[in-house]
C-alpha cells in the first residue's frame, strides 16, 4: 500500500508509543500529536485550548507562513489532537469539569483513539485507511476478490 512519508513516519511513532506504553492523552508530550512531533510540547502554543480547532495567534502566524511540523500544518495538528481526544472519550476542549474517560490510558481507550487518528491521517493524505481490512472479506462468486499476500504488498 502506498503511503506518504509523513503518514508512514506518524504511523511508526504512534505504533511504537502504543506498544511501549508511551501514549497518554492527558500529556501533551505523550498524546497522539506529542508522539508525532517527537515528544515535544511546543505544539500546544498553536491553540489556547487543548482539544480546540481554533488556532491561537501563534498558530495563525505559523499557518499563514506555511510552516509544517513533521509534515503537518498547525490546523492539521489541531484536528489530529481533537479526533484523538474525542475518540478516547474526552469532551473537548479539555477542561477539568468536562467529561473524561475513567481510565484514559487503558489499552482499549488508546486503541479507539488511534483508530480514529489513523483514519484521519489517511484522509489528510488521500490514502485508503491502512487499518481497513474489510476488502479481505469481499467475495465474488464465492471466491475472495483480494488475497492476503497481494493485499499487503
Amino acid at each position: 500500500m502506498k503511503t506518504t512519508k509523513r503518514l508512514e513516519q506518524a504511523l511508526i511513532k504512534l505504533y511504537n508509543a502504543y506498544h511501549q506504553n508511551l501514549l497518554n492523552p492527558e500529556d501533551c508530550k505523550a498524546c497522539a500529536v506529542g508522539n508525532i512531533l517527537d515528544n515535544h510540547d511546543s505544539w500546544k502554543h498553536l491553540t489556547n485550548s487543548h482539544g480546540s480547532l481554533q488556532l491561537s495567534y501563534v498558530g495563525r502566524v505559523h499557518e499563514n507562513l506555511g510552516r509544517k511540523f513533521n509534515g503537518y500544518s498547525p490546523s492539521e495538528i489541531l484536528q489530529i489532537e481533537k479526533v484523538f481526544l474525542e475518540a478516547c472519550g474526552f469532551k473537548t476542549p479539555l477542561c477539568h469539569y468536562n467529561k473524561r474517560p475513567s481510565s484514559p490510558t487503558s489499552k482499549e481507550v488508546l486503541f479507539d483513539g488511534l483508530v480514529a487518528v489513523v483514519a484521519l491521517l489517511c484522509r489528510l493524505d488521500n490514502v485508503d485507511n491502512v487499518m481497513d481490512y474489510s476488502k479481505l472479506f469481499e467475495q465474488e462468486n464465492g471466491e475472495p476478490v483480494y488475497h492476503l499476500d497481494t493485499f499487503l504488498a
Side-chain angles (χ1 to χ4, degrees):
M1 178 175 289
K2 288 272 190 202
T3 64
T4 63
K5 185 168 180 68
R6 74 176 187 169
L7 175 60
E8 185 176 331
Q9 289 175 338
L11 292 174
I12 290 168
K13 291 173 186 178
L14 293 171
Y15 174 89
N16 288 333
Y18 178 78
H19 287 291
Q20 294 171 6
N21 297 317
L22 300 174
L23 196 58
N24 183 342
E26 295 180 302
D27 180 350
C28 55
K29 289 183 179 181
C31 61
V33 169
N35 276 285
I36 290 170
L37 299 182
D38 304 318
N39 305 104
H40 295 285
D41 68 352
S42 54
W43 69 271
K44 69 184 180 181
H45 301 290
L46 299 175
T47 185
N48 293 325
S49 301
H50 193 71
S52 169
L53 293 177
Q54 187 173 10
L55 291 167
S56 65
Y57 174 75
V58 171
R60 286 192 311 273
V61 168
H62 284 294
E63 185 88 11
N64 291 336
L65 291 173
R67 297 248 170 87
K68 303 283 184 176
F69 302 89
N70 287 0
Y72 294 96
S73 70
S75 58
E76 289 173 327
I77 287 169
L78 298 185
Q79 287 177 58
I80 295 164
E81 187 62 9
K82 183 176 180 70
V83 162
F84 180 66
L85 290 171
E86 289 179 351
C88 285
F90 289 89
K91 181 173 180 342
T92 58
L94 288 189
C95 184
H96 68 280
Y97 55 79
N98 278 351
K99 178 184 155 234
R100 65 184 294 278
S102 58
S103 182
T105 56
S106 77
K107 285 293 193 179
E108 294 81 17
V109 167
L110 295 175
F111 184 78
D112 290 342
L114 287 178
V115 168
V117 167
V118 169
L120 174 62
L121 294 175
C122 291
R123 223 175 19 258
L124 290 173
D125 287 1
N126 295 315
V127 172
D128 289 338
N129 188 341
V130 297
M131 293 183 70
D132 180 10
Y133 286 94
S134 61
K135 289 185 177 189
L136 286 175
F137 302 101
E138 288 182 20
Q139 292 188 12
E140 193 172 283
N141 299 325
E143 295 293 321
V145 175
Y146 302 96
H147 297 280
L148 185 59
D149 54 343
T150 58
F151 182 72
L152 296 176

